[in-house]
Amino acid sequence: MLRALSGLTTRGRCLLAAGVAAAVCSVVLNERDLLRVAVFVVALPLLVAAFISASRLSIGASRKLLPERVSVGSYGEVQLDLWRSGRLPAGEVLLEDGVPYALGARPRFVVERLPHDRTVGLRYPIQPVLRGIQQVGPLRATITDPFGLCEFERELIGHSRLVVVPRVVGLWGLPSGAGIGAGDDGSIRLHAGQGEADVIVRQYRQGDDLRKVHWRSTARRDEIMVRVEERPWRGGTTVLLDHRAAAHHGAGPASSLEWAVSFAASVCLHLRRSGHRVRLVTEHGQTLTDTPGEGAEHYDNIVLDALAALQPAHQRDITLGSDPAGGQELIAILGTVSNEAVHELAQYRPRGIRSLAVLLDTPTWAGAINAPGHRAAATEESIALLRAAGWGVVVADPATPMPQIWAELCHTAARRGTLIGGAL
């Protein structure tokens, strides 16, 4: 009973107090009629509290996310089903579902009467503005009576997991020589002929093992050439995503990091659908995804889920320790990079293998406005260092559409005349 009384509203408590006061006055004044009124006034909130307390236990609900994976900027829907599981009628039910700000406004519903023989379906839209693993819920119900004397709150459903994946932009074209595109196929170049061993050679560098000298190529070129034995025979592309918090500017959906994640997702899916083997790695060489054997659709979900859960890294600079692409072609999506970071990228990339970079002009994401054709001095220095190390570089800013950035990257690859897959 005490638990039921805890649900009394201010109006119910005042009515109960007034009934008790009337009962005391009826005893003092010896007024039986007033006592009858006092008993009614006291009994009304008590009976309502007991009834509402019992009826709230007979309400059930379910939630369904349509779909469970939705991209940034697109629309989804949440379906709620409410029913009465007991025979006691339920009073007015106020529903409120917990929705993060990144999914839209918090929905509220009022159900005046729950029928016993069917469910009541409720729907509300969501439009995510920020990628991530979002939690929808809990669904809370507030049950009240028509007089406003009593109300009880109850959690009907807990949390539901919603995966908000980055926005994918359609891209067109391929860098010259990429897989099934124009030019040589890297996989064919690395494994030509049945039963032939890989014989990939390059110029001798100080510190190379002399046992790897390829004497036939040395005699033909009149300079010392060494074998590259660890080169993978299958062609492919590695996409490197720089997700360091210190390398990006801006906040929320309009930050440079979110642009980089969206562009990485678009590139990975575009290359995979064009028949390429694609790996996605971080700026520290950690593999996020690799091409599985289940097909392109399955790979799309793996890439998008991995990028949806990706959080900014707290490392200050790029640390690789080895070639992040494993001898494959490399497309790096970089934020602000220091001279040491450029040296780290160039140090572990073998010569003769195409390396392309999309360098984000991150100050423009922070609100900096530069004159047309002019960039920050740090950005210009990074461009010069990367190009001096043999990289093809395209600069990105928030005002340039992603398809245009990709087209410029393809044009840069063709202009440099190098082949994805390792032409020497």
Side-chain angles (χ1 to χ4, degrees):
M1 188 61 183
L2 292 178
R3 186 177 180 181
L5 292 177
S6 65
L8 289 175
T9 62
T10 302
R11 180 184 299 178
R13 295 176 187 275
C14 291
L15 189 61
L16 183 61
V20 172
V24 173
C25 292
S26 67
V27 173
V28 173
L29 300 176
N30 195 22
E31 289 286 345
R32 292 187 177 181
D33 293 337
L34 182 58
L35 181 59
R36 295 188 184 95
V37 174
V39 171
F40 174 77
V41 172
V42 171
L44 181 60
L46 295 179
L47 292 174
V48 169
F51 176 77
I52 297 297
S53 179
S55 64
R56 74 184 180 121
L57 301 176
S58 64
I59 297 177
S62 66
R63 181 195 295 117
K64 182 183 293 186
L65 303 179
L66 304 171
E68 295 183 352
R69 181 187 290 105
V70 61
S71 63
V72 172
S74 62
Y75 286 92
E77 192 175 57
V78 178
Q79 177 179 325
L80 301 174
D81 290 324
L82 200 65
W83 64 85
R84 200 175 79 204
S85 57
R87 293 190 175 278
L88 287 174
E92 185 180 73
V93 181
L94 286 76
L95 297 174
E96 182 177 17
D97 207 3
V99 175
Y101 77 94
L103 298 181
R106 178 167 295 185
R108 293 179 175 86
F109 303 96
V110 177
V111 180
E112 295 182 354
R113 181 178 176 273
L114 277 177
H116 179 69
D117 56 345
R118 62 182 178 86
T119 61
V120 175
L122 304 171
R123 293 173 178 260
Y124 65 89
I126 54 175
Q127 185 180 16
V129 297
L130 188 64
R131 65 176 178 87
I133 308 300
Q134 304 290 350
Q135 299 293 334
V136 179
L139 176 64
R140 298 185 180 275
T142 302
I143 305 173
T144 63
D145 67 283
F147 304 104
L149 302 179
C150 186
E151 66 179 18
F152 286 95
E153 290 188 359
R154 179 187 176 190
E155 182 177 310
L156 299 181
I157 313 174
H159 292 88
S160 298
R161 183 173 180 266
L162 177 67
V163 181
V164 181
V165 300
R167 183 171 62 97
V168 176
V169 178
L171 304 176
W172 295 271
L174 293 170
S176 176
I180 63 173
D184 296 336
D185 188 333
S187 62
I188 298 176
R189 293 181 61 86
L190 292 174
H191 198 68
Q194 297 181 355
E196 295 181 4
D198 286 345
V199 183
I200 304 300
V201 297
R202 60 169 171 80
Q203 293 178 343
Y204 173 82
R205 301 175 189 168
Q206 185 176 1
D208 284 340
D209 189 350
L210 292 178
R211 291 175 296 181
K212 295 183 179 180
V213 173
H214 192 261
W215 297 108
R216 182 179 299 177
S217 299
T218 299
R220 184 171 63 252
R221 301 194 182 189
D222 199 23
E223 58 180 334
I224 299 178
M225 307 295 291
V226 295
R227 296 189 303 273
V228 182
E229 297 178 350
E230 297 178 353
R231 189 72 169 278
W233 69 270
R234 289 185 297 179
T237 304
T238 296
V239 178
L240 183 148
L241 174 61
D242 181 6
H243 72 301
R244 294 172 295 134
H248 292 276
H249 290 78
S255 67
S256 61
L257 176 59
E258 295 304 317
W259 190 98
V261 170
S262 179
F263 187 74
S266 303
V267 171
C268 288
L269 269 59
H270 174 66
L271 291 176
R272 181 63 184 89
R273 292 165 182 172
S274 299
H276 287 257
R277 179 179 178 86
V278 185
R279 291 176 62 240
L280 176 63
V281 302
T282 68
E283 74 282 357
H284 305 299
Q286 176 188 1
T287 300
L288 295 178
T289 64
D290 202 347
T291 305
E294 289 81 353
E297 182 178 354
H298 183 68
Y299 176 75
D300 291 357
N301 293 338
I302 291 177
V303 170
L304 294 177
D305 288 352
L307 290 175
L310 188 67
Q311 298 296 321
H314 298 293
Q315 290 83 352
R316 298 292 301 178
D317 221 334
I318 294 177
T319 54
L320 294 174
S322 62
D323 180 13
Q328 294 180 337
E329 65 178 29
L330 179 64
I331 298 177
I333 305 169
L334 305 173
T336 301
V337 290
S338 62
N339 295 352
E340 291 77 12
V342 175
H343 176 72
E344 186 82 5
L345 289 167
Q347 178 182 0
Y348 295 104
R349 287 297 292 160
R351 291 182 179 274
I353 298 180
R354 184 168 62 190
S355 302
L356 304 173
V358 176
L359 183 64
L360 276 64
D361 189 13
T362 55
T364 58
W365 269 272
I369 301 177
N370 298 325
H374 293 78
R375 305 185 185 97
T379 303
E380 291 289 354
E381 184 177 4
S382 299
I383 295 172
L385 290 174
L386 284 169
R387 287 175 176 167
W391 287 62
V393 183
V394 172
V395 181
D397 59 71
T400 306
M402 290 185 187
Q404 182 176 337
I405 297 296
W406 176 252
E408 291 180 10
L409 195 69
C410 295
H411 180 69
T412 298
R415 186 174 64 247
R416 295 182 64 85
T418 56
L419 298 175
I420 289 183
L424 292 175

